[in-house]
Amino acid sequence: GGSFLMNRWARGRARLRDYVNQIKLERGCEMCGYNEKVENLQWHHVIPETKYKAIAEIVSEDRSMKKVDAEIEKCICVCKACHGKLEM
């Protein structure tokens, strides 16, 4: 098939995901400082009531950098280990 030509929709999503991953690595875990692998870094909503939706959902559903930025404002970046401690 013609899948080699990535459609604009998927490209926009991939670009937004890269953007979000870049921010994760730049921030690193705001509790312990870990910043090696982006897949081990997660967003944690500081005040759950303000959550619009998960960042990953905004990337795949809304594909809006403005919405992503607004949501990141409400979050801290934490590694999986620290995230687990926060949710205990």
Side-chain angles (χ1 to χ4, degrees):
S3 61
F4 67 94
L5 241 179
M6 217 173 159
N7 64 36
R8 255 180 54 218
W9 182 77
R11 205 168 44 229
R13 203 173 52 187
R15 198 168 43 229
L16 207 47
R17 198 181 297 122
D18 288 345
Y19 169 73
V20 169
N21 287 344
Q22 192 57 46
I23 297 172
K24 278 185 180 176
L25 289 174
E26 278 169 19
R27 283 203 191 179
C29 176
E30 294 176 42
M31 288 173 73
C32 74
Y34 173 92
N35 69 342
E36 283 165 48
K37 286 197 183 128
V38 76
E39 51 271 24
N40 292 331
L41 291 166
Q42 302 170 331
W43 296 110
H44 174 73
H45 283 78
V46 183
I47 305 159
E49 296 77 47
T50 65
K51 183 174 181 172
Y52 162 60
K53 52 173 104 158
I55 309 276
E57 286 172 8
I58 298 173
V59 168
S60 59
E61 293 165 17
D62 299 277
R63 297 186 303 283
S64 156
M65 193 174 276
K66 205 185 285 179
K67 283 185 182 170
V68 164
D69 283 336
E71 206 62 19
I72 286 174
E73 290 288 308
K74 309 173 197 170
C75 298
I76 54 170
C77 184
V78 287
C79 70
K80 282 180 181 171
C82 290
H83 203 182
K85 289 178 207 156
L86 283 173
E87 316 243 304
M88 264 159 53

